[in-house]
Amino acid sequence: MATIFSRIVAGEIPCHKIAENEEFFAFLDINPVALGHTLVIPKKEVDYIFDIDDPMLGRMMAFAKRVARAQEASIPCKRIGLAVMGLEVPHAHIHLIPITKESDMYFGTKKLEITQAELAEIAAKIRNEYK
Ligand code: 5GP
């Protein structure tokens, strides 16, 4: 069965898309820990990120870098933090999180309270800066 992220790529489940190319897809996390929290995934289903071969992992990081540049340009922050866990969704993904302090990357129970309209607005801002 397709993962929830493959269903997002296929357009079966809505998302706030940021960018895509032939191999990768970026979209806002539905439960952000910080404003602009974005996920980068390979379109090909791989569960564990370190099972991705080196050349593809390099291309994934280069794609994530372009997304991070767009986040830096559109979300007030000091830099973009990067995290990989994958304990919830078995489809490799990189979390890209605009941060100004360490606690902005706290993945505990408290998530940002944000509306769909606000998510749409943030996604549009990031998309606008994606080169
Ligand atoms: P992890 O697997 O890295 O522990 O966490 C999975 C992440 O995916 C979580 O931050 C969660 O909020 C996000 N997520 C789970 N399901 C969906 C979904 O259907 N849409 C979006 N946009 N994000 C999701």
Side-chain angles (χ1 to χ4, degrees), residues 4 8-9 15 18 21 34-35 38-39 41 44 46 60-63 68 81-82 86-88 100 108 118 120-121 127:
I4 194 155
I8 285 175
V9 172
C15 75
I18 302 297
N21 66 15
L35 223 58
T38 296
L39 301 175
I41 65 168
K44 181 180 159 199
V46 182
M60 185 170 173
M61 195 54 80
F63 178 79
L82 184 154
L87 295 172
E88 193 186 312
T100 49
E118 287 167 324
E121 195 180 318
R127 266 198 309 272

Side-chain angles (χ1 to χ4, degrees), residues 88-116:
E88 193 186 312
V89 179
H91 187 142
H93 50 282
I94 295 173
H95 295 258
L96 293 177
I97 305 173
I99 52 173
T100 49
K101 54 188 186 311
E102 215 176 288
S103 60
D104 291 338
M105 282 194 69
Y106 177 63
F107 280 87
T109 47
K110 184 104 177 70
K111 298 281 164 60
L112 221 60
E113 282 178 17
I114 193 158
T115 64
Q116 285 299 318

Side-chain angles (χ1 to χ4, degrees), residues 18-77:
I18 302 297
E20 75 175 308
N21 66 15
E22 317 74 52
E23 282 186 297
F24 308 107
F25 193 92
F27 56 106
L28 290 186
D29 194 297
I30 202 169
N31 240 327
V33 300
L35 223 58
H37 180 172
T38 296
L39 301 175
V40 168
I41 65 168
K43 290 183 175 175
K44 181 180 159 199
E45 274 187 19
V46 182
D47 177 356
Y48 185 40
I49 195 161
F50 294 127
D51 285 334
I52 295 174
D53 65 49
D54 291 0
M56 184 172 167
L57 196 55
R59 292 191 298 276
M60 185 170 173
M61 195 54 80
F63 178 79
K65 177 177 168 179
R66 288 177 67 185
V67 174
R69 292 292 188 223
Q71 289 170 295
E72 287 166 4
S74 54
I75 311 282
C77 63

